[in-house]
Amino acid sequence: MNRFFLPVICIIVLFGSCRTPKDVAYFQGLGNLTEEQKESMNQVYNPKICIDDVLIINVTSPDRESAAPYNPPPYGYYKPGEAEIGISAETQNLYTYLVDEEGYINFPVLGHVKIAGLTINEANRMMEDKIRESLPKVLVNIQIANFKVGIFGEVAHSNLYYIKSIRVSVLDLIAMAGNLNINADRKNVWLIRDNNGDKEYIKMDLTDPELFASPYFYLQQNDMVIVNPNDAQKRNSRYSNENSFRLNIFTSVISVIATVFSTIALVKRDL
């Protein structure tokens, strides 16, 4: 009888250990969403320019000579008939603009311009309206040069990530970090957002499809994501620390005892 039940018990244990815990799966019930729920999750992403952002601003026009004063060197100041100078990483500091603590940039010809708090599209239109007073046909293109987000905790690669595209979601960031560890608490992920000095702390549940409808699904520049360990990992960590402490004590005691016995043996030999 025991010979029959032993293989059965082993098979049950094997399959039980291979089963994926429910809390590990992302966005559970995603296939059961109604069309109305899916529609509510559609979002328009419009990041806003913040203090300390570094902006690249290019002004173009059919009248290239008249547009040149609005572009800093080396991009703008070339003589008619000369080839445009290529932009490289070494020369980016010559045509970028830092948004100061009051939300202004110092732009050629226009002077101080308030730009913080505007979306990229709003800032483009505002700059175009100002420049059209002297240059009727103009197109302004603004980019955020230092768009970065960070993720730390139970992920494969905790790091700060500099993003060329400003459209990045929490899922994009997790993918960049090499996915969450198996011991990550997917229901206890925190987003820390800096709104020009005011901090927001948002708890996210990566097992809930409603996250797609959240205004925090898409990240803003300087967002930080913290992935906490689950309860099992916390217990294992505490157990490992306690065992390590006990092992150190045990090793120290053994070392002392060995030293004492060695000393006694040497004394007896000398006698």
Side-chain angles (χ1 to χ4, degrees):
M1 183 66 69
N2 290 338
R3 293 180 179 178
F4 173 76
F5 280 109
L6 184 58
V8 174
I9 293 173
C10 291
I11 292 173
I12 293 173
V13 172
L14 177 62
F15 278 96
S17 62
C18 293
R19 183 181 60 189
T20 302
K22 183 179 179 181
D23 290 345
V24 173
Y26 293 102
F27 307 114
Q28 298 164 26
L30 191 60
N32 300 324
L33 295 177
T34 65
E35 292 301 323
E36 291 181 356
Q37 288 175 312
K38 294 178 182 178
E39 185 69 24
S40 68
M41 294 178 181
N42 295 332
Q43 297 190 49
V44 176
Y45 180 63
N46 289 311
K48 293 185 177 181
I49 296 171
C50 301
I51 292 171
D52 289 332
D53 279 353
V54 176
L55 306 179
I56 299 174
I57 304 178
N58 288 327
V59 177
T60 58
S61 172
D63 187 352
R64 301 174 70 185
E65 187 173 357
S66 297
Y70 294 97
N71 294 299
Y75 184 80
Y77 293 106
Y78 58 90
K79 296 179 181 179
E82 291 182 345
E84 295 183 22
I85 301 175
I87 300 174
S88 63
E90 291 76 13
T91 57
Q92 279 193 359
N93 63 323
L94 297 177
Y95 66 94
T96 57
Y97 304 88
L98 176 67
V99 182
D100 65 22
E101 64 276 7
E102 296 181 354
Y104 287 83
I105 60 170
N106 190 15
F107 195 74
V109 181
L110 300 181
H112 278 73
V113 179
K114 182 68 176 290
I115 200 166
L118 300 178
T119 66
I120 297 294
N121 290 334
E122 290 171 343
N124 284 334
R125 290 195 296 268
M126 181 268 292
M127 296 288 289
E128 287 170 356
D129 290 340
K130 289 181 177 292
I131 296 173
R132 280 196 185 101
E133 296 178 6
S134 57
L135 188 62
K137 294 183 179 180
V138 64
L139 180 65
V140 175
N141 180 37
I142 298 177
Q143 295 175 299
I144 300 174
N146 64 334
F147 193 104
K148 70 179 184 298
V149 289
I151 186 167
F152 305 94
E154 290 294 323
V155 293
H157 307 290
S158 295
N159 210 338
L160 285 173
Y161 294 90
Y162 287 84
I163 313 296
K164 292 183 178 180
S165 171
I166 59 174
R167 184 182 176 89
V168 57
S169 70
V170 63
L171 289 184
D172 294 325
L173 181 58
I174 289 173
M176 293 175 195
N179 206 356
L180 303 185
N181 296 335
I182 193 66
N183 294 317
D185 187 349
R186 285 151 174 79
K187 294 185 176 183
N188 189 23
V189 176
W190 285 86
L191 170 66
I192 303 175
R193 175 164 293 176
D194 189 327
N195 292 315
N196 293 330
D198 296 327
K199 293 289 192 300
E200 280 188 272
Y201 303 91
I202 301 96
K203 186 177 181 179
M204 297 186 294
D205 182 356
L206 299 181
T207 68
D208 188 354
E210 287 296 324
L211 181 61
F212 288 109
S214 169
Y216 303 102
F217 177 71
Y218 287 105
L219 302 179
Q220 293 184 7
Q221 58 270 44
N222 303 315
D223 277 355
M224 297 294 159
V225 175
I226 309 297
V227 183
N228 290 304
N230 58 21
D231 292 337
Q233 177 68 1
K234 292 176 184 177
R235 287 193 298 269
N236 290 339
S237 177
R238 183 166 57 250
Y239 178 75
S240 299
N241 290 337
E242 290 174 356
N243 280 353
S244 178
F245 178 70
R246 291 171 183 170
L247 180 62
N248 288 336
I249 293 178
F250 179 76
T251 304
S252 299
V253 171
I254 294 298
S255 178
V256 171
I257 292 173
T259 302
V260 170
F261 274 101
S262 298
T263 303
I264 293 173
L266 289 174
V267 170
K268 286 184 177 181
R269 189 181 64 181
D270 292 339
L271 293 177

